[in-house]
Amino acid sequence: ERAHNEALERHVATMERSAAEALVEKETWEEHLRSLNREAAKEAEYRRALAKHHQMALKEQMSEADVKRNEHRQILQEMASAHDFPNFTECPEAPVYEAIRGRF
């Protein structure tokens, strides 16, 4: 019986050590997972900030393109209205047409 009790005590002691090691391993693993979650959150925040920066830069480029397009359109309109061709208000052939009409 004494040998049985000693064997049982050794077995219980071994089980307690194994349980303590398992708890330490579990805590270590959970800390590792928390660390990974923190890193993932930091990375996601960085990506959001980078995407926001790129979005603002793209909007600025689009705005600049609109301004350039409007300026170019305005220059083309000014160039088109800078000359009087064709000027339909005055017809240089009007005297010729009047002479032809006068014959009939």
Side-chain angles (χ1 to χ4, degrees):
E1 185 174 317
R2 184 173 152 200
H4 176 62
N5 287 340
E6 289 176 2
L8 189 57
E9 286 176 12
R10 283 192 306 269
H11 179 67
V12 168
T14 304
M15 294 294 288
E16 287 176 349
R17 278 194 304 274
S18 294
E21 289 173 4
L23 287 174
V24 168
E25 186 177 329
K26 177 184 175 217
E27 184 58 35
T28 303
W29 178 251
E30 288 176 352
E31 179 57 36
H32 175 69
L33 292 178
R34 284 190 293 269
S35 174
L36 290 177
N37 285 337
R38 285 191 299 268
E39 284 184 37
K42 283 181 184 179
E43 185 176 335
E45 184 178 338
Y46 170 75
R47 287 179 187 231
R48 273 193 300 275
L50 187 62
K52 186 72 171 175
H53 175 72
H54 286 162
Q55 178 186 23
M56 290 172 58
L58 185 59
K59 283 183 179 181
E60 182 66 29
Q61 288 176 356
M62 291 169 64
S63 175
E64 289 174 3
D66 284 343
V67 168
K68 283 183 180 181
R69 191 178 315 108
N70 289 337
E71 288 174 354
H72 184 67
R73 187 179 304 127
Q74 184 177 2
I75 289 171
L76 290 178
Q77 287 175 349
E78 289 173 0
M79 288 173 55
S81 63
H83 58 78
D84 290 334
F85 182 78
N87 186 356
F88 295 110
T89 58
E90 298 176 11
C91 180
E93 293 89 13
V96 174
Y97 292 134
E98 290 296 322
I100 293 173
R101 278 191 213 128
R103 291 184 192 169
F104 296 108

